[in-house]
Amino acid sequence: MELRDKNGLTEREYLAQYRADKYPRPSVTVDVCLFSRAADGALRTLLIRRGGHPFLGWWALPGGFAQPGERVEEAAARELEEETNLCGLTLCPVGVFSAAGRDPRGWTLSCAYAALVEGAAPAARAGDDAASARWFDVDFVRAGDQARLTLRAQGDELRAEAAVLREQTPFGEALRCGEGWGQGLAFDHGEILLTALLRLR
């Protein structure tokens, strides 16, 4: 016997009359923070220069839109390979970034991932809609409830700063960065990088 809801509908009947367009839907994107750590502890991160709008010419994390039917972790690995020619890395979740206005194209959620390569930074080659790819030296400072980031490479200097938010949860302490400001980084990629760095051991 099929179960019926409070309106007397079976699941099949409910799904037949369900209208997905009744509810607004966000676009889903992925962003990847890729770090390399040298033997002396020096940290670098890989950015791509955007080859299209929005933020044409700005530095950004490798990433893009998830495709229908694609798991977000698969999208992250695919976008990283398409934009930097790097693959086979272990990607760890950083978080979901969903502030209103984070993307001028509309309502967009980003599922961010991070990977760490110990040793020399692997050679990256820009592809897809990335105009170029470059490793940046990372200067990350956490002072109390503030986190600051400076990235430097070949005359470029990018900055980001945000408040550190600390939450006690049933699963342990969670650290993340709140909305802050960034100079030279597209979207909210400064906030994403800062959050990833807070969690990097």
Side-chain angles (χ1 to χ4, degrees):
M1 178 177 156
E2 289 189 90
L3 294 177
R4 294 182 179 273
D5 66 11
K6 63 184 179 182
N7 298 314
L9 300 175
T10 65
E11 183 171 303
R12 183 174 55 249
E13 292 166 340
Y14 166 78
L15 291 174
Q17 57 86 42
Y18 179 78
R19 296 218 21 221
D21 60 356
K22 179 179 175 184
Y23 303 97
R25 294 182 179 190
S27 295
V28 178
T29 62
V30 292
D31 291 300
V32 180
C33 306
L34 179 56
F35 300 105
S36 74
R37 184 163 50 199
D40 63 1
L43 199 62
R44 303 174 83 194
T45 192
L46 183 66
L47 299 178
I48 56 102
R49 190 183 289 278
R50 288 184 55 78
H53 294 297
F55 296 103
L56 176 64
W58 289 49
W59 290 102
L61 296 168
F65 288 93
Q67 297 174 352
E70 184 178 40
R71 295 169 61 100
V72 288
E73 57 269 29
E74 294 168 347
R78 175 183 53 76
E79 285 288 344
L80 180 63
E81 183 173 7
E82 287 176 1
E83 294 192 342
T84 69
N85 201 41
L86 296 175
C87 61
L89 300 170
T90 300
L91 299 177
C92 302
V94 172
V96 176
F97 295 79
S98 59
R102 64 173 301 277
D103 189 325
R105 293 170 291 195
W107 187 19
T108 305
L109 311 180
S110 180
C111 300
Y113 288 82
L116 176 65
V117 176
E118 297 285 4
R125 186 178 72 245
D128 195 26
D129 55 358
S132 60
R134 184 183 298 170
W135 286 97
F136 283 75
D137 295 325
V138 173
D139 180 10
F140 173 66
V141 177
R142 180 179 171 195
D145 291 334
Q146 288 290 313
R148 292 190 302 275
L149 172 65
T150 304
L151 305 175
R152 295 183 180 92
Q154 300 175 12
D156 281 311
E157 185 171 282
L158 315 173
R159 295 178 182 273
E161 185 171 339
V164 176
L165 306 177
R166 182 191 306 265
E167 298 172 317
Q168 289 294 337
T169 77
F171 303 99
E173 183 179 67
L175 289 176
R176 65 182 178 88
C177 279
E179 291 182 59
W181 65 268
Q183 173 189 321
L185 285 163
F187 304 102
D188 54 356
H189 290 183
E191 179 187 343
I192 295 173
L193 274 166
L194 283 165
T195 299
L197 286 162
L198 281 174
R199 297 175 182 176
L200 178 62
R201 295 191 175 121

